[in-house]
Short mmCIF file of all heavy atoms in Angstrom, two decimals:
data_model
loop_
_atom_site.label_atom_id
_atom_site.label_comp_id
_atom_site.label_asym_id
_atom_site.label_seq_id
_atom_site.Cartn_x
_atom_site.Cartn_y
_atom_site.Cartn_z
N ALA A 60 10.51 22.80 12.06
CA ALA A 60 10.85 22.22 13.36
C ALA A 60 12.36 22.22 13.56
O ALA A 60 12.86 22.48 14.65
CB ALA A 60 10.30 20.79 13.46
N GLN A 61 13.10 21.96 12.48
CA GLN A 61 14.56 21.95 12.58
C GLN A 61 15.11 23.35 12.78
O GLN A 61 16.08 23.56 13.52
CB GLN A 61 15.17 21.32 11.33
CG GLN A 61 14.89 19.83 11.23
CD GLN A 61 15.49 19.21 9.98
OE1 GLN A 61 16.26 19.85 9.25
NE2 GLN A 61 15.14 17.96 9.73
N VAL A 62 14.51 24.33 12.12
CA VAL A 62 14.98 25.70 12.26
C VAL A 62 14.69 26.22 13.67
O VAL A 62 15.53 26.89 14.27
CB VAL A 62 14.30 26.62 11.21
CG1 VAL A 62 14.59 28.08 11.50
CG2 VAL A 62 14.77 26.25 9.81
N LEU A 63 13.51 25.89 14.17
CA LEU A 63 13.13 26.38 15.49
C LEU A 63 13.92 25.69 16.59
O LEU A 63 14.14 26.25 17.65
CB LEU A 63 11.62 26.17 15.72
CG LEU A 63 10.71 26.98 14.80
CD1 LEU A 63 9.25 26.65 15.08
CD2 LEU A 63 10.96 28.47 15.00
N ASP A 64 14.33 24.46 16.32
CA ASP A 64 15.11 23.73 17.30
C ASP A 64 16.43 24.46 17.56
O ASP A 64 16.97 25.13 16.70
CB ASP A 64 15.39 22.33 16.76
CG ASP A 64 15.72 21.37 17.88
OD1 ASP A 64 16.18 21.84 18.94
OD2 ASP A 64 15.52 20.16 17.70
N ASP A 65 16.93 24.29 18.77
CA ASP A 65 18.20 24.94 19.11
C ASP A 65 19.37 24.28 18.40
O ASP A 65 20.38 24.92 18.12
CB ASP A 65 18.43 24.88 20.63
CG ASP A 65 17.54 25.85 21.37
OD1 ASP A 65 17.06 26.79 20.70
OD2 ASP A 65 17.32 25.68 22.57
N ALA A 66 19.23 22.99 18.12
CA ALA A 66 20.33 22.25 17.50
C ALA A 66 20.77 22.93 16.21
O ALA A 66 19.95 23.40 15.43
CB ALA A 66 19.89 20.82 17.20
N PRO A 67 22.09 23.02 16.00
CA PRO A 67 22.59 23.66 14.79
C PRO A 67 22.16 22.85 13.56
O PRO A 67 22.25 21.62 13.55
CB PRO A 67 24.11 23.60 14.96
CG PRO A 67 24.35 22.49 15.91
CD PRO A 67 23.16 22.45 16.80
N ASP A 68 21.70 23.54 12.54
CA ASP A 68 21.23 22.87 11.33
C ASP A 68 22.39 22.19 10.63
O ASP A 68 23.48 22.75 10.51
CB ASP A 68 20.62 23.89 10.36
CG ASP A 68 19.40 24.56 10.96
OD1 ASP A 68 18.92 24.10 12.00
OD2 ASP A 68 18.94 25.56 10.36
N LEU A 69 22.13 20.99 10.15
CA LEU A 69 23.07 20.34 9.26
C LEU A 69 22.74 20.80 7.84
O LEU A 69 21.61 21.13 7.54
CB LEU A 69 22.94 18.82 9.37
CG LEU A 69 23.29 18.21 10.73
CD1 LEU A 69 23.08 16.70 10.69
CD2 LEU A 69 24.70 18.53 11.11
N THR A 70 23.77 20.80 7.00
CA THR A 70 23.50 21.13 5.60
C THR A 70 22.77 19.97 4.95
O THR A 70 22.68 18.87 5.49
CB THR A 70 24.80 21.38 4.84
OG1 THR A 70 25.53 20.15 4.76
CG2 THR A 70 25.66 22.42 5.54
N THR A 71 22.25 20.23 3.76
CA THR A 71 21.53 19.18 3.03
C THR A 71 22.43 17.98 2.82
O THR A 71 22.02 16.83 3.01
CB THR A 71 21.06 19.72 1.67
OG1 THR A 71 20.25 20.88 1.89
CG2 THR A 71 20.24 18.68 0.93
N ARG A 72 23.67 18.24 2.45
CA ARG A 72 24.60 17.14 2.21
C ARG A 72 24.91 16.37 3.49
O ARG A 72 24.96 15.14 3.50
CB ARG A 72 25.91 17.67 1.63
CG ARG A 72 25.74 18.16 0.21
CD ARG A 72 26.98 18.84 -0.28
NE ARG A 72 26.90 19.12 -1.70
CZ ARG A 72 27.95 19.28 -2.49
NH1 ARG A 72 29.16 19.19 -1.98
NH2 ARG A 72 27.80 19.52 -3.76
N GLN A 73 25.14 17.12 4.55
CA GLN A 73 25.44 16.45 5.81
C GLN A 73 24.28 15.56 6.24
O GLN A 73 24.48 14.43 6.68
CB GLN A 73 25.73 17.49 6.90
CG GLN A 73 27.07 18.18 6.72
CD GLN A 73 27.23 19.38 7.63
OE1 GLN A 73 26.27 19.86 8.22
NE2 GLN A 73 28.44 19.88 7.74
N MET A 74 23.08 16.06 6.10
CA MET A 74 21.92 15.27 6.50
C MET A 74 21.79 14.03 5.62
O MET A 74 21.47 12.94 6.12
CB MET A 74 20.65 16.14 6.37
CG MET A 74 19.42 15.50 6.94
SD MET A 74 19.46 15.28 8.74
CE MET A 74 19.01 16.91 9.30
N ALA A 75 22.05 14.18 4.33
CA ALA A 75 21.96 13.03 3.43
C ALA A 75 23.01 11.99 3.81
O ALA A 75 22.75 10.78 3.81
CB ALA A 75 22.14 13.48 1.98
N ILE A 76 24.21 12.45 4.16
CA ILE A 76 25.27 11.54 4.58
C ILE A 76 24.87 10.83 5.87
O ILE A 76 24.98 9.60 5.99
CB ILE A 76 26.59 12.31 4.79
CG1 ILE A 76 27.10 12.85 3.45
CG2 ILE A 76 27.64 11.43 5.44
CD1 ILE A 76 28.23 13.86 3.59
N LEU A 77 24.40 11.60 6.83
CA LEU A 77 24.02 11.02 8.12
C LEU A 77 22.94 9.95 7.95
O LEU A 77 23.05 8.85 8.52
CB LEU A 77 23.52 12.13 9.05
CG LEU A 77 23.22 11.70 10.47
CD1 LEU A 77 24.50 11.34 11.21
CD2 LEU A 77 22.47 12.79 11.23
N LEU A 78 21.93 10.24 7.17
CA LEU A 78 20.84 9.27 7.00
C LEU A 78 21.32 8.04 6.25
O LEU A 78 20.87 6.93 6.51
CB LEU A 78 19.65 9.93 6.30
CG LEU A 78 18.91 10.95 7.15
CD1 LEU A 78 17.73 11.55 6.38
CD2 LEU A 78 18.40 10.32 8.44
N THR A 79 22.23 8.24 5.32
CA THR A 79 22.78 7.09 4.60
C THR A 79 23.51 6.16 5.57
O THR A 79 23.36 4.94 5.51
CB THR A 79 23.73 7.57 3.50
OG1 THR A 79 22.99 8.33 2.54
CG2 THR A 79 24.39 6.38 2.80
N ILE A 80 24.29 6.75 6.46
CA ILE A 80 25.02 5.94 7.44
C ILE A 80 24.06 5.17 8.34
O ILE A 80 24.31 4.01 8.68
CB ILE A 80 25.93 6.85 8.30
CG1 ILE A 80 27.03 7.46 7.42
CG2 ILE A 80 26.53 6.08 9.46
CD1 ILE A 80 27.81 8.57 8.09
N TYR A 81 22.95 5.80 8.67
CA TYR A 81 22.04 5.16 9.62
C TYR A 81 20.98 4.28 8.96
O TYR A 81 20.35 3.46 9.62
CB TYR A 81 21.37 6.20 10.52
CG TYR A 81 22.28 6.60 11.66
CD1 TYR A 81 23.26 7.57 11.49
CD2 TYR A 81 22.21 5.96 12.89
CE1 TYR A 81 24.12 7.91 12.52
CE2 TYR A 81 23.05 6.29 13.93
CZ TYR A 81 24.01 7.27 13.73
OH TYR A 81 24.87 7.58 14.75
N LEU A 82 20.80 4.41 7.65
CA LEU A 82 19.78 3.59 7.00
C LEU A 82 20.37 2.47 6.16
O LEU A 82 19.77 1.42 6.01
CB LEU A 82 18.89 4.48 6.12
CG LEU A 82 18.04 5.50 6.88
CD1 LEU A 82 17.19 6.32 5.92
CD2 LEU A 82 17.16 4.81 7.91
N ASP A 83 21.55 2.70 5.59
CA ASP A 83 22.16 1.65 4.79
C ASP A 83 23.01 0.76 5.68
O ASP A 83 23.57 1.22 6.68
CB ASP A 83 23.02 2.25 3.68
CG ASP A 83 22.17 2.75 2.52
OD1 ASP A 83 20.94 2.60 2.60
OD2 ASP A 83 22.73 3.29 1.55
#
Side-chain angles (χ1 to χ4, degrees):
Chain A
Q61 291 180 8
V62 170
L63 294 178
D64 202 335
D65 286 340
D68 297 349
L69 296 179
T70 67
T71 303
R72 290 173 171 204
Q73 288 169 346
M74 189 66 81
I76 293 168
L77 186 69
L78 290 181
T79 296
I80 294 168
Y81 278 84
L82 294 181
D83 282 359

